[in-house]
Amino acid sequence: MTRPAPIRVVLADDERMVRTALRAILTAEPDLEVVGEAATGAQAVSVVRELRPDVVLMDVRMPEIDGIRATEQILATLDEPPRIVVVTTFENDSYVYDALRAGAAGFLLKRADADALVQAVRLVARSDSLLFPAAVRTLATEHARAHPAPPAWVAKLTGREREVLRHMAQGLTNAEIARRMEVGPATVKSHVAAVLAKTGTRDRTQAVIAAYEAGFLNGG
């Protein structure tokens, strides 16, 4: 039986010791491969454009350009960009929320243990579930900007799409949503695609952020 190709990862952090520790943890896993490193935000953009990894672990604060700007540049210039996970010291940092709004798929605390790191990389690579949904909810509640009225997309969601979006915010996978709603996985995938299209977002994380900001997930 042919083994699936490993998940290719780029590490972007201005501290060499951090990159060394991350590399040691990830390369110990047979399904993960560290293909490149960067010490600045500008280097991260260049390395990612050259190597086209599946996942980037991006320090949120780096020299030259920070992780937020680097994330924006990567997502804006690649047709099939990698999944970006920002790495931070404090989970309630406004930089983290700005990075999620800029397109990062999730965030990871620098104090996370090896198992959490490995599972986070695998999860975002699959891209069918929200990374740390409770933490995303807390960030959105603390940092979301107030809107005088919900955006137009809220009224365009069907009943099923609204249900799917709420399940997405809970961190459920497509398979878990399908079981909860008693429908097929293909149906859920179709609903998820419709939610992304109507919210004008790139992936589940941005859709959930948009939903919190619209007040949809707070009873709005």
Side-chain angles (χ1 to χ4, degrees), residues 18 29 53 71 89 95 101 109 118-119 131 160 172-173 176 181 183 193:
V18 172
E29 302 296 321
T71 294
T89 303
Y95 275 76
R101 295 186 83 251
L109 295 179
V118 169
Q119 292 306 315
L131 184 61
R160 282 297 207 181
L172 301 185
T173 65
E176 290 168 337
M181 296 176 63
V183 298

Side-chain angles (χ1 to χ4, degrees), residues 66 116 170:
D66 60 27
Q170 294 172 13

Side-chain angles (χ1 to χ4, degrees), residues 1-199:
M1 184 175 181
T2 303
R3 176 180 295 179
I7 298 168
R8 303 171 72 251
V9 183
V10 161
L11 308 176
D13 196 295
D14 60 339
E15 296 185 41
R16 182 185 295 272
M17 289 182 62
V18 172
R19 300 197 309 272
T20 299
L22 292 175
R23 176 181 284 272
I25 293 169
L26 297 177
T27 54
E29 302 296 321
D31 60 329
L32 305 178
E33 178 185 6
V34 176
V35 296
E37 297 184 12
T40 70
Q43 287 179 11
V45 175
S46 178
V47 169
V48 169
R49 285 173 177 168
E50 177 185 356
L51 300 178
R52 303 298 178 96
D54 302 303
V55 176
V56 180
L57 295 182
M58 179 86 73
D59 186 11
V60 75
R61 304 190 187 199
M62 285 186 292
E64 298 180 7
I65 60 173
D66 60 27
I68 301 169
R69 303 286 86 76
T71 294
E72 290 176 338
Q73 291 185 25
I74 289 169
L75 296 179
T77 57
L78 294 181
D79 292 335
E80 296 183 5
R83 306 278 290 170
I84 298 175
V85 177
V86 292
V87 183
T88 180
T89 303
F90 305 106
E91 65 183 282
N92 63 348
D93 194 330
S94 61
Y95 275 76
V96 175
Y97 188 70
D98 288 342
L100 294 178
R101 295 186 83 251
F107 73 92
L108 188 69
L109 295 179
K110 288 192 174 183
R111 64 176 181 269
D113 62 27
D115 288 343
L117 168 65
V118 169
Q119 292 306 315
V121 171
R122 289 172 177 154
L123 181 62
V124 297
R126 291 199 305 266
S127 73
D128 70 341
S129 183
L130 189 67
L131 184 61
F132 305 138
V136 171
R137 180 179 65 245
T138 299
L139 276 170
T141 301
E142 292 179 353
H143 297 286
R145 298 140 176 85
H147 291 281
W153 63 257
V154 174
K156 297 178 181 178
L157 295 177
T158 67
R160 282 297 207 181
E161 290 162 2
R162 288 168 177 263
E163 188 176 356
V164 165
L165 180 51
R166 293 185 188 279
H167 289 319
M168 288 164 58
Q170 294 172 13
L172 301 185
T173 65
N174 285 358
E176 290 168 337
I177 296 173
R179 289 194 293 271
R180 187 77 61 89
M181 296 176 63
E182 298 183 342
V183 298
T187 299
V188 173
K189 186 175 181 179
S190 177
H191 287 321
V192 170
V195 168
L196 299 185
K198 290 181 180 180
T199 56

